[in-house]
Amino acid sequence: MIKQKFLLASLAMLLTLTACGQPQQIAPTVAAPTATVFGVPTLAAQPPIAQQTQSPTQALAASPESVCMAPAQLTPAMTEGPYYKSNTPQRASLLEANMKGIKLVVSGYVLTTDCRPVARAWLDFWQADASGQYDNAGYTLRGHQFTDEAGRYQLTTVIPGLYPGRTEHIHFKVQAPNGPVITAQLFFPDVPQNKSDGIFDAKLLLNMKDASDGKTAAFNFVVNTK
Ligand code: FE
């Protein structure tokens, strides 16, 4: 009889312990961010989901930039063309005094294919001026920059002019730290020459808006990180 009571008491204690232990084991799994949560550097550095006032994915959706839907398509690569120069100055604005043309501010993110922002990604831009001329002697309208810790970049420049055989475009190179370089060109919507340009790719169209002093445009680059 005593032995029976002891067995029952032991069983009850075991059940209690199991019941108490379970939620502690499940809770961290539920609270852990998934692989597709935007901007999660490490599990330890990320506050619990419940404490976030706005998820990083919502932050991206609420921004003027387009929404990233995983798996995002890699930014397509295309010809570099004949006018690239390395060792460009580091600057986010290519504007200079007395520069002709319509001011353009392009901004967005460099993202991975699973929509994570890429901090310290390298971006190098070069383009023709408003009359369609490249500066091949110096570095006018050429410059590189790096994304910030949230994977954002912003380029201030002018809308490039047309030159024979091509539609309007801004050349770029983009690279995640230790990732492969993608070389391609950004294009402008509603330019009649887009239809006849053999290099034009609609996946690289800027999303343009009017601004008080020119135009703004959004574009998100998607890169491989290794
Ligand atoms: Fe060009």
Side-chain angles (χ1 to χ4, degrees), residues 133-155:
Q133 299 290 317
Y134 284 89
D135 177 9
N136 294 316
Y139 286 93
T140 307
L141 291 169
R142 299 171 185 271
H144 75 272
Q145 60 178 288
F146 296 91
T147 55
D148 65 13
E149 291 309 306
R152 283 187 298 250
Y153 77 94
Q154 182 168 292
L155 169 72

Side-chain angles (χ1 to χ4, degrees), residues 172-205:
F172 68 85
K173 288 178 182 284
V174 60
Q175 180 186 31
N178 308 313
V181 176
I182 294 175
T183 302
Q185 303 169 23
L186 296 171
F187 297 103
F188 295 78
D190 307 320
V191 177
Q193 286 83 353
N194 285 348
K195 289 193 182 78
S196 55
D197 188 306
I199 298 170
F200 173 79
D201 185 338
K203 292 190 205 80
L204 293 158
L205 273 173

Side-chain angles (χ1 to χ4, degrees), residues 8 25 56 59 90 158 163 171 222-223:
L8 278 171
Q25 286 168 353
Q90 182 176 349
V158 292
Y163 60 88
H171 295 266
V222 181
V223 299

